[in-house]
Amino acid sequence: QEMLRMGTLRGFVHFTCYLRGREELLVTIRRPSSETTGQYLGSTEPASSSSSSSSASPGISPGKLLKPDHGGKPPASPASNETARVSESECVFLIGAYQRYKSPFVWLRNGHLEAYAGVDRDIPLKLQTTADWPNTKARPWDIVAELIAVAVKPRPVNPFAVDFEQLEALPVVQSAVCTGALMYTLQEVLLSKRRRASSDSSRSRPPPSSAYEPEELLLEDLQRLANLHFVCMGTLAEHMAQGGAAVGGKSEAAASGSAAAA
C-alpha cells in the first residue's frame, strides 16, 4: 500500500514516481549538473564540497554503497524491454517489491552512474536499505532517499523537498488533492523517522540510512502544504456555495494565499 501511494504522488523537487502495476515503482531522479546551474539542485554548497555534504548524514555513505549485488535477483521486467528515454541529467530506477522475493530490490533502468558502468542492468544495486530490509523493514521513502543520496552529488539536504511552484500552477482541484496527499506522506516520513530514531536510541544502534534530512525542513514544507491546501479548499468551498461548476483554473486567491504562506 505504501508503494502504491508513493506512485500516485507528484510535486517533489528531486524525483518523480510512476507506478507500474502493484509490484513495480519507477523512480526518476533529477540530477542537474554544475555546468548548467553552478551547483547541484537542492544543495546549499558548491559542487566541489561533496565531503561536507555527505557528512550531514552519517547513516549514508554514497561512494561505498553504490555497487551491484551479484547475489540479487532479476526483475520481472528485463532491461531490454525498457523503452523510456531520459535526459543526461536524469536517472531512472526500478523498485520491485515482488511477493515471491519476500524483500525489495532496486535496478538501474536508464541514465548513467559511473560506479555502475558496464554492469548488467538486470543485476540489482546493493543498497543499505534493501540489504538491511529483513531487520529494518525500510519503507519506500527510505529507499527513494538513499537512491537520491547515491545518484546526486552533493547530496541534497532534503530529498523530499516540495516543488511549490509546480503545485501552485495546477488547477485548484488538482492542487487540493496533491497537497493533501503530500501532507499525509510527509507526516508518515516524519513519524517513521522519529519512531526509528527512538528505537535505535533505546538499542544503542548506529543511525540508520533513513536519517536523511533535518526535521525542520520537513516541518517547514508541511506547514506550507497545509496553508496551500486549506486555501485551495476554501476556494472550492466558495465556488460550491455560489453554485459554480468545478473549478478548472488556478484562482488568484489560491495563488496569493500560497505566496503569503511562503
Side-chain angles (χ1 to χ4, degrees), residues 16-35:
T16 59
C17 292
Y18 174 73
L19 190 64
R20 193 164 66 181
R22 296 181 61 86
E23 297 180 317
E24 293 186 338
L25 181 69
L26 285 174
V27 181
T28 301
I29 295 176
R30 306 183 184 95
R31 304 190 304 164
S33 67
S34 56
E35 293 180 0

Side-chain angles (χ1 to χ4, degrees), residues 78 137 153 184:
K137 296 296 188 291
K153 297 179 182 179
Y184 182 86

Side-chain angles (χ1 to χ4, degrees), residues 236-248:
L236 292 174
E238 290 177 7
H239 280 263
M240 293 291 290
Q242 296 171 4
V247 181

